[in-house]
Amino acid sequence: MNLIETVSYEEMSIKAAEIIFEKVKNKPASTLGLATGGTPLGTYRELINIYNKERTSFQHLSTINLDEYVGLADDHPQSYHMYMHEHLFKYLDIPASQTHLPDGLAKDLDGECARYDKLIEQLGGVDLQLLGIGQNGHIGFNEPGTLFNTRTHVETLTESTRKANARYFSNQSDVPTHAITMGIQSIFQSREILLLASGIKKAEAIRRLIEGDVTEDFPASILKNHANLTVIADREALSKSTI
Ligand code: F6R
């Protein structure tokens, strides 16, 4: 594991954006695996800044997101489709046909999961996967107890995850109960993984990631076995770890 400590969320975001930009510069037709949530917001902002400053093009890039809520339409304000559009895609020149998220409204959810796995394969696999981490160690929406060999599947969200995500909805009962998520195996197969963590709320999860055992009770722990994992964490997120 390559661990980078930063003093702040801003520095974490700048470093992450630089790594992503370098990747795209070196391989313009990369497939980027993307995440949503609070953590990558600054990274996306910085990536847009570099993109504008360098007057570059991302037209050959493909993106594949980790997850989407079941039951939310693409244009629902809290859907991850909308999040990606608002925070990243509308600022870049990636053709819409090259940006991919699971379809939360698919009638045949198992069929949608199979389509998504096939798509990852067709894209040649993920070159760089960006990840946040849940306080309970979830990655994507793979909650504790999810088998390490899972591909894209429908996950029942834990109450703690629904509570953490309730801040984006008018009330907690509006938070969907299920999500389609890339599985742990699908994530692990990425050629490179960049996991970000910021703030005291993530300190225990980061401690467990760095110091704990590899166990399905803590999904992110499998990443320790990945040959090309970079963790960028700020001081607060690292405050409970002995490094
Ligand atoms: C988002 C995702 C989740 C988040 C995690 C942390 O696509 O898959 O695993 O990365 O819940 O969320 P934040 O960044 O809001 O703390």
Side-chain angles (χ1 to χ4, degrees), residues 35-40 66-67 80 132-134 138-141 167-168 202:
T36 58
T39 310
L66 284 168
D67 39 25
Y80 288 168
I133 183 169
H138 72 230
I139 48 173
F141 270 122
R167 63 192 193 274
Y168 301 112
K202 299 295 169 71

Side-chain angles (χ1 to χ4, degrees), residues 36-149:
T36 58
T39 310
L41 283 174
T43 302
Y44 294 150
R45 224 169 20 237
E46 291 302 331
L47 190 60
I48 295 161
N49 283 342
I50 308 177
Y51 168 88
N52 287 329
K53 222 167 47 208
E54 300 281 325
R55 294 170 181 273
T56 189
S57 171
F58 282 3
Q59 62 179 318
H60 300 298
L61 189 66
S62 297
T63 66
I64 184 121
N65 265 76
L66 284 168
D67 39 25
E68 179 58 286
Y69 289 117
V70 169
L72 298 195
D74 296 5
D75 60 355
H76 185 286
Q78 264 65 50
S79 75
Y80 288 168
H81 277 82
M82 198 55 135
Y83 170 107
M84 290 309 300
H85 178 74
E86 285 303 314
H87 297 296
L88 188 65
F89 295 155
K90 74 177 182 188
Y91 299 101
L92 308 177
D93 66 346
I94 313 171
S97 59
Q98 289 163 216
T99 64
H100 307 281
L101 290 99
D103 176 7
L105 284 189
K107 288 213 173 65
D108 171 10
L109 289 173
D110 288 342
E112 174 60 7
C113 294
R115 178 194 74 85
Y116 212 64
D117 281 331
K118 192 92 201 281
L119 178 64
I120 298 170
E121 240 176 81
Q122 283 163 354
L123 291 169
V126 175
D127 289 296
L128 174 65
Q129 177 67 56
L130 183 65
L131 292 178
I133 183 169
Q135 291 175 47
N136 62 5
H138 72 230
I139 48 173
F141 270 122
N142 296 285
E143 299 284 14
T146 307
L147 300 181
F148 283 153
N149 65 3

Side-chain angles (χ1 to χ4, degrees), residues 178-198:
H178 293 81
I180 299 179
T181 181
M182 269 166 65
I184 297 183
Q185 194 182 7
S186 337
I187 294 171
F188 193 82
Q189 280 171 347
S190 309
R191 284 184 270 281
E192 191 177 339
I193 294 182
L194 182 58
L195 184 140
L196 309 181
S198 167

